[in-house]
Amino acid sequence: MVEHAWLIPLLPLLAYAAQVFFGRALGAYTAWVGVVLLAAGAALSLGVLAQVLGGAAAAASFPWLKIGDLTFAMGFRVGPLEAAMLAMVTVVSLMVEIYSIGYLHGDAKYNRFFANVNLFVASMLGVVLADNFLLFFACWEIMGLCSYLLIGHWYEDLDNARAATKSFLVTRLGDIGLLIGIFVTFWHAHSLNFADINQSAASWGAGAATLAALLIFTGAVGKSAQVPLHVWLPDAMAGPTPVSALIHAATMVAAGVFLVARTYPVFEASGTALQVVAWVGGLTALLAATMATVQVDIKKMLAYSTMSQLGYMMLGLGVFGYAAALFHLLSHAFFKALLFLGSGSVIHAAGGEQNMHRMGGLRRKLPWTTVTFVIGGLALAGIPPLSGYFSKDEVLLAAFRANPALFWIGVATAGLTAYYVMRGIWLTFFGEPRDAHLYAHAHESPAVMVGPLLVLAVPAVFFGWLGSPQLGHALQHFIALPGEAEPAADRFAAAATIAMAFAGLALGLAIYAGGRPALRRDLIRALRPLYVLFKQKWYFDHLALGLTGLGLGLAQVVGALDRYVVDGVVNGLAWLTGAVGQLVRRAAVGDAQAYMLTMAGAVLVGLAVYLGMGG
Amino acid sequence: MEAPILSIAVFAPLAGALLLLLVRADDRRTLRAVATAFMAVPVVAVAWGAAQFRFGDPGLQLVERATWMPGIGVSYFLGADGISLAMLALSAVVGLVATIASYGIDTRVKEYFVLLLLLQTGVLGVFAAEDLILFYLFWELVLIPMYFIIGIWGHGRKEYSAIKFILYTMVASLLMLVGILALYFLTGAKTFAIPELVGLGRTLAAGLQWWLFLAFFIGFAVKVPVWPFHTWLPDAHVDAPTPGSVMLAAVLLKLGAYGLLRIPLPAFPQAAHAFAGTLALLGVINIIYGALAALSQRDLKKLVAYSSVNHMGFVLIGLAAATPAAVDGAVFQMVSHGLISAMLFLMVGVFYDRFHTRDMERFSGMYTVMPLAATFMAFAAFANLGLPFLSGFIAEFYTLIGSWTVFPQYVTAAALGLLLTAGFNLWMMQRVLMGPVRAEQRGTPEMHAREIVTLVPLAAFVLLLGVAPGLLTAWLNAPVQALVQRMGGM
């Protein structure tokens, strides 16, 4: 089975083709085409995973293109990490597609939605399986296209259209860095095959490795919404919520982390690059968490939390916690998909309202959503024994061993995370209803949406156990790089992390469950500068807007320059020629002849000069 | 004797033009049928030629050679290597598409088709000619029909644009003529055959090579167009009728690039080598300047026109770098841009025919109004910004990776230019395709069958070359290798 893993991406691709060409004929059944094929893909992926657990692996490639003196091969490879990713991606996307049947019910672009989601899944699976940078990059860009199309799903609203454009452009900026990184890599490794690249990286010299790694990392920064290329992710929430769950939380945004893991030896060959990865990750984790604490939109809060968790993963990679970071990638995918789908269920119930301050008390109306959302939230907050606890703990342990400053940044982030999780849960589900009308009309979502929530709640609780010390870090051993050392456990680090998580929860409870609005007002007044800073998102959006304005302004300058100066010179010359022609005309018969005469004269003079020089 | 495939391809449109003269001017149906039939002949002929082509052989094939003016060594000499064959195939397909797209022309139909067919003979002739005088004659033949097509069937300031086009390109081809004559006399050649002349050019003194290179370079640079010789392009492209814009962008621009790689680059390798850095820099300027100028437009057609300036920059970089992969990428870009720009101009025509405006501020929500048209437009725009699995990505990826070792600084700048390329395409889509529907545009009729027929083959080729680029590089590898050797081997 493992040697047929390349079939897995083709299944959703087939669904895409069917939906594009026969969407109208399929009608309401269109979603099921994707669900059935994805279910087959998930089954195949689990089969592959089982075989790989038994020690199997597969790789195959064929020469795809000879261009000039360069030959490129196409192929796939499946090892432990790929098998685990395949299983995660297919299972999460299957759940998201089933859920979408309910969520998108009655949408005018129902078929278009499912087609784009399936194309996305196919390209994400392509990214996972690709054994070379070319195929990887191609699939990576198609993921970006799908993300763009789905963010702009409701394109009638120009705000959504702008969000889509912004997401594509910002990630494109990162991708250009990645593209140049691929060039650098190629000319050092003389191959685009990951195995060749990783094998030779140590021999490139530190300078080349640093350059290549930092350029590759640029791509990861864009895709995984790391500071400063994160500005597109919150806006990406303009897309339908299932898309936020699948693309902008569980899978695509994690692909940046996967990219760094994929080329990890290049990063290892350059100590500097790893340091950069660690610090960018740590700062992203912290900054995003601060921004999440002041969001009123439930999806935006989750978006910043995604960004923050991706920061953790990068941090982990940067401090030699390769297995820990990927462990967190996998566990985060399940509980964050759960949280986003839960938020979708809330939004669905609340008639499209996303502002948590208008909610409250919804636990009585949405019991299943509440239970699963709380599970997901506590997993995110890192409360034992839920899955987020184990994976985050492993990342922080790696940081503790390698870089105390980053460890403390990570711990502080853990506290903030627990705080905003509690805040969000309380504002949404607990307390008294703040909007009577909204509350009166709220209702639990249909089974087709609640079902996936329940399914995803299972790994949100249990998945982390696979990597727990009690089970001997089985998962980490499975996905680790050969020879990767496991950081020794540390009681102090573990205690600090857990204490911060509980402290964050307690603080959230004290402020929000205490239910005294006056307390919140006083706090905001007392911490005004910080509040404004977080609310203004550390002014990154202002920076992005300013740069865009600068670019457009430059375009206007060039446009005017072209029209008035460059073309002006040409027209001036033409006018001059015309004027000379007028003079010649007095002697000659007509315009055309005058021109011909001038030209012929010029030719003869020119020839004479050249001949003279030659002779 | 083997069939004169290239002659058939080149002169079938001319024969069609002559036949059209016999058709009554108001019998549009027959005029269209005859034009289409004779434009289809080159497609078949090129396919026939490709079927018997030995792609591993870098030399000329399908050769037809006869003495013509023996006194001065001019001969009727046609031939093709894989590069020419690729350009012939592109021109044949785009010419046929442009003919079908011309069914909407309803004034002076007869004259129009006669000129379009003449234009096609000129274009195919340039790509097939292996004698410099013949090359020059075909080259000039291209200008005149295009002048009339813009001037008579165009829009806006069409007379101004047509005259600008012809004067600008005439001056350039005059320089080329100077170059041709000088090359002939200075080398003392007894022939105008391109292979021989190119071989003799390298024997000239370095200083002479430099002047001759410059003459040919400027001659061809106007057509490419290389900044700052590009300002005829936005005017001509915008004011030409849709099929004229298609031919201009998809095929005529390629004449310039083809000329560069056929004559001055291999004939004057020392000069070419000395000039390479400048050429690559000009390529970068084309890319960034073209993208910025496109970004500043409100006129949809002007945006597409400047996009050509942007994309031809990659061709220049690839030719300047002169590594096999880079040159392969450059030729790939010529084909790819031909297909993509043809799609874009056809789509501009689809919208213009319905709304009689090209002002992007007056479009909105085309995804909702005309979903199929909007989808084609989005496909073309994404191809244009270099989305993988479409032909443009392959071309730009290989041009840049192949040029990296020679010009890392320019490759980096060009790659950054890709951000701007994405910018103007995305912004165009945001304004035209997305957003709310304008009341007066609601209920606009969707694309009709003929429009779809023109776009489907182009889209299919764009996708095919993106997924299986080997189909085209197999044509290019051998001749490109030979070309690179000639450029490098002083």
Side-chain angles (χ1 to χ4, degrees), chain A residues 598-611, chain B residues 132-133 136 140 170-186 192 211-216 219 268:
Chain A
T598 323
M599 288 172 175
V603 174
L604 289 175
V605 171
L607 256 182
V609 170
Y610 294 134
L611 284 171
Chain B
L132 255 184
I133 295 297
Y136 185 77
E140 295 295 294
M170 280 286 246
V171 171
S173 47
L174 214 68
L175 265 173
M176 180 167 79
L177 183 61
V178 171
I180 290 173
L181 295 176
L183 179 59
Y184 175 77
F185 286 118
L186 293 178
F192 278 97
W211 284 106
L212 285 177
F213 180 87
L214 209 62
F216 279 105
F268 315 114

Side-chain angles (χ1 to χ4, degrees), chain A residues 216-217 220 255-264 267 277 314 317 322:
Chain A
I216 292 169
F217 185 56
V257 177
F258 183 74
L259 168 61
V260 175
R262 180 46 90 227
T263 51
Y264 203 60
F267 287 82
V277 172
M314 289 295 186
L317 287 171
Y322 175 89

Side-chain angles (χ1 to χ4, degrees), chain A residues 366-383:
Chain A
L366 312 172
W368 293 111
T369 305
T370 306
V371 169
T372 51
F373 195 93
V374 168
I375 290 174
L378 294 181
L380 169 62
I383 302 300

Side-chain angles (χ1 to χ4, degrees), chain A residues 500-582:
Chain A
M500 272 310 264
F502 278 105
L505 283 186
L507 184 64
L509 268 180
I511 295 178
Y512 287 90
R516 290 201 316 276
L519 172 65
R520 270 179 265 163
R521 269 200 298 278
D522 290 345
L523 273 176
I524 290 177
R525 198 168 304 135
L527 301 172
R528 183 100 206 143
L530 276 182
Y531 178 77
V532 171
L533 184 65
F534 298 167
K535 204 74 180 164
Q536 296 296 333
K537 309 167 211 162
W538 296 73
Y539 297 96
F540 278 107
D541 274 302
H542 297 75
L543 182 70
L545 214 59
L547 288 176
T548 314
L550 204 67
L552 288 177
L554 188 63
Q556 289 302 331
V557 170
V558 168
L561 186 79
D562 197 57
R563 210 160 140 207
Y564 298 111
V565 180
V566 181
D567 197 33
V569 169
V570 173
N571 284 344
L573 280 176
W575 177 85
L576 199 69
T577 318
V580 174
Q582 287 295 320

Side-chain angles (χ1 to χ4, degrees), chain A residues 64-68 72 134 138 141 145 148 155-156 162 165 172 176 183-184 187 555 559 562 566-567 571 599, chain B residues 160 164 174 230-231 289 292 296 306 328 367 382 385 388 398 400-401 404 415 419 430 435-436 467 469-470 473 477:
Chain A
W64 175 65
L65 179 61
K66 184 180 178 319
I67 185 152
F72 298 97
L134 188 58
E141 292 285 303
L145 168 73
Y148 161 88
Y155 45 67
E156 296 84 356
R162 279 190 208 105
T165 303
R172 179 82 173 187
I176 286 168
F183 298 157
V184 174
W187 288 109
D562 197 57
V566 181
D567 197 33
N571 284 344
M599 288 172 175
Chain B
Y160 166 81
K164 187 165 177 176
L174 214 68
H230 66 280
T231 55
Y289 185 97
L292 284 171
S296 74
Y306 276 108
D328 251 6
Y367 272 133
F382 273 104
L385 65 75
Y398 288 112
L400 294 183
I401 203 170
W404 176 260
L419 182 69
Q430 183 180 313
V467 175
T473 56
N477 277 333

